Amino acid sequence: MSVQNLTPGLSGGIPVKAPKALIGLTLDELASLTQAMGEPRFRAEQLHHWLYVKCVQDWEAMSNLSKTFREKLSGQYRVGQLRLITKQKSNDGTVKYLFGLDDGSVVESVLMYFEDRDKYSICISSQVGCAVDCGFCATGKLGFKRHLTVGEIVEQYLFVQHDSQEEVRNIVFMGQGEPLLNYDPLMKAIRILNRSAEVGIRHITVSTSGIVPRIMDLANEQLQLTLAISLHAADNATREKIMPLNKKWPLEQLMPSLFHYVRTTNRRLTIEYVLLAGVNDSESQARQLGNLLKGLKCNVNLIPYNPIGDDYGYQRPSREVIHRFANIVSDSGKKVTIRVERGVDIAAACGQLANQAGKT
Ligand code: SF4
């Protein structure tokens, strides 16, 4: 993918209004655009294919579009809008991409390979920074800056797919930001990724900290995507300490929304639980978790904490504690996995994304 076409938001200190990007438009929107330029609908279909299936950013490569049409298009539009700043590769093969946006913000995406899946996965960001402020998360420490646009979300996938030359067929919204707080752009981005970029809907996972009204909305979308809930504690007092948003949507509200989601979609949830030594990793808390999840169609994914510096005050539990916790939850009848972390050495693992170019 060429980065030369990507116009930065500033030029010599003078703000420049960049042309509108095409990535982020649906087929119908592209058809309206090409129609306004006096072109038939099949031109929009060709353009759509180049953008979302071929992941091409170079006008010249769109070989079945006439030269005149390409010139007209490139005079008014640009293909994408992300500018690659850095790309870091971990010892385990994970790759972290840092992208620059038009307003000078930066955002990260992570490409991962898991042996138990035969395709690559990408972890995508939905916001610049995050307002939720989970106590263990580097993104939360950045605070909220802004929502990403549909195009900025979709292009993370297209860029990495093209750049890596790998088959990236799993998308997880677990990067920076709370996806359900950027609901409408997220929904449109998911539909484009599914219908236009042809990523199977069951291979798309949205991870939320528990935005109850939006979980109810998502249930009504009737999408067969995977919903992951960052639970992290089975009682309100502990959860509030780790996740301040629990004050707004405590477990008494969150749990019924999860049961409603499963009833409506018949999908199995993933319950994410970051294990913090001495905070939420005791045997009684494991039993409490098993009780809380009784009757809920879900798997449990335990995430041993990744230390992200000295400031946050959390530690990773010992292997023994992690496995004892997993066994107790498993005895309650749930399938439990312990996440194999990727990219810890390049700060690309869960909770480590903090827009730090070049730091490891
Ligand atoms: S864990 Fe997710 S929701 Fe919580 S602060 Fe980090 S990015 Fe936001």
Side-chain angles (χ1 to χ4, degrees):
M1 175 174 287
S2 139
V3 275
Q4 303 91 281
N5 287 342
L6 304 178
T7 313
L10 296 173
S11 173
I14 303 164
V16 173
K17 180 136 178 43
K20 187 173 168 58
L22 295 181
I23 289 176
L25 299 182
T26 62
L27 176 57
D28 284 346
E29 288 166 340
L30 289 171
S32 304
L33 181 151
T34 50
Q35 191 185 18
M37 297 171 93
E39 297 284 337
R41 184 177 170 96
F42 77 84
R43 285 279 176 241
E45 285 163 7
Q46 290 172 323
L47 186 55
H48 177 264
H49 190 78
W50 286 115
L51 295 177
Y52 295 118
V53 179
K54 296 284 189 193
C55 306
V56 155
Q57 284 240 341
D58 185 352
W59 298 112
E60 294 304 309
M62 301 183 183
S63 52
N64 59 358
L65 303 183
S66 71
K67 191 164 183 284
T68 325
F69 181 45
R70 273 185 275 142
E71 280 170 3
K72 266 202 277 180
L73 273 175
S74 60
Q76 298 178 47
Y77 300 97
R78 57 187 165 149
V79 175
Q81 56 205 300
L82 300 187
R83 185 169 44 88
L84 181 63
I85 298 176
T86 57
K87 193 167 99 173
Q88 288 173 271
K89 194 158 187 181
S90 156
N91 295 333
D92 63 25
T94 300
V95 184
K96 181 166 78 170
Y97 292 79
L98 185 71
F99 294 113
L101 310 177
D102 283 348
D103 63 354
S105 301
V106 289
V107 79
E108 289 168 323
S109 315
V110 181
L111 175 71
M112 302 161 288
Y113 183 75
F114 295 95
E115 276 97 32
D116 59 339
R117 299 178 203 161
D118 58 345
K119 303 282 190 290
Y120 279 76
S121 301
I122 180 174
C123 178
I124 283 186
S125 295
S126 54
Q127 297 178 317
V128 181
C130 184
V132 176
D133 196 22
C134 301
F136 52 83
C137 173
T139 307
K141 304 300 165 213
L142 299 172
F144 173 73
K145 192 157 180 201
R146 74 167 170 87
H147 297 301
L148 293 185
T149 64
V150 177
E152 288 166 341
I153 295 172
V154 172
E155 195 179 345
Q156 292 173 63
Y157 168 77
L158 298 175
F159 191 110
V160 172
Q161 163 74 73
H162 189 271
D163 180 73
S164 65
Q165 294 294 305
E166 300 290 353
E167 266 201 90
V168 185
R169 300 320 280 166
N170 299 296
I171 296 177
V172 292
F173 284 91
M174 288 187 189
Q176 294 168 320
E178 164 52 63
L180 294 190
L181 287 179
N182 189 15
Y183 190 83
D184 292 337
L186 173 79
M187 285 301 112
K188 186 173 173 188
I190 286 174
R191 290 198 160 94
I192 290 176
L193 289 165
N194 174 231
R195 294 175 188 166
S196 300
E198 301 174 0
V199 178
I201 194 72
R202 287 171 179 252
H203 294 266
I204 297 177
T205 298
V206 173
S207 176
T208 179
S209 53
I211 312 296
V212 169
R214 297 288 86 78
I215 292 172
M216 304 297 275
D217 290 342
L218 190 61
N220 293 334
E221 304 277 352
Q222 287 288 347
L223 289 172
Q224 289 292 296
L225 51 74
T226 301
L227 182 62
I229 306 295
S230 297
L231 193 63
H232 306 327
D235 67 278
N236 282 321
T238 310
R239 195 162 190 264
E240 258 173 40
K241 274 191 220 149
I242 309 169
M243 306 175 77
L245 107 159
N246 192 73
K247 290 192 187 93
K248 190 161 185 185
W249 290 296
L251 293 171
E252 298 77 46
Q253 292 184 33
L254 177 61
M255 295 312 295
S257 77
L258 302 187
F259 278 96
H260 172 77
Y261 186 87
V262 171
R263 260 197 318 274
T264 311
T265 64
N266 200 28
R267 295 286 290 152
R268 185 178 298 278
L269 297 172
T270 299
I271 300 295
E272 309 276 358
Y273 193 105
V274 65
L275 280 166
L276 306 165
V279 176
N280 64 354
D281 64 341
S282 70
E283 294 183 22
S284 66
Q285 285 165 317
R287 278 190 290 276
Q288 212 170 354
L289 179 62
N291 285 334
L292 184 71
L293 301 179
K294 209 168 270 170
L296 184 68
K297 187 170 159 183
C298 65
N299 296 329
V300 177
N301 190 16
L302 299 176
I303 310 161
Y305 174 64
N306 288 303
I308 43 178
D310 299 327
D311 300 342
Y312 303 167
Y314 294 116
Q315 304 295 325
R316 187 185 181 95
S318 66
R319 276 174 68 92
E320 193 195 346
V321 168
I322 293 167
H323 285 278
R324 197 165 52 225
F325 194 97
N327 288 338
I328 293 171
V329 180
S330 177
D331 287 346
S332 76
K334 297 295 173 204
K335 182 177 171 198
V336 179
T337 49
I338 299 171
R339 183 180 293 176
V340 179
E341 287 293 2
R342 291 282 180 247
V344 176
D345 56 322
I346 55 167
C350 189
Q352 290 188 319
L353 298 181
N355 296 347
Q356 296 171 303
K359 288 194 183 170
T360 58

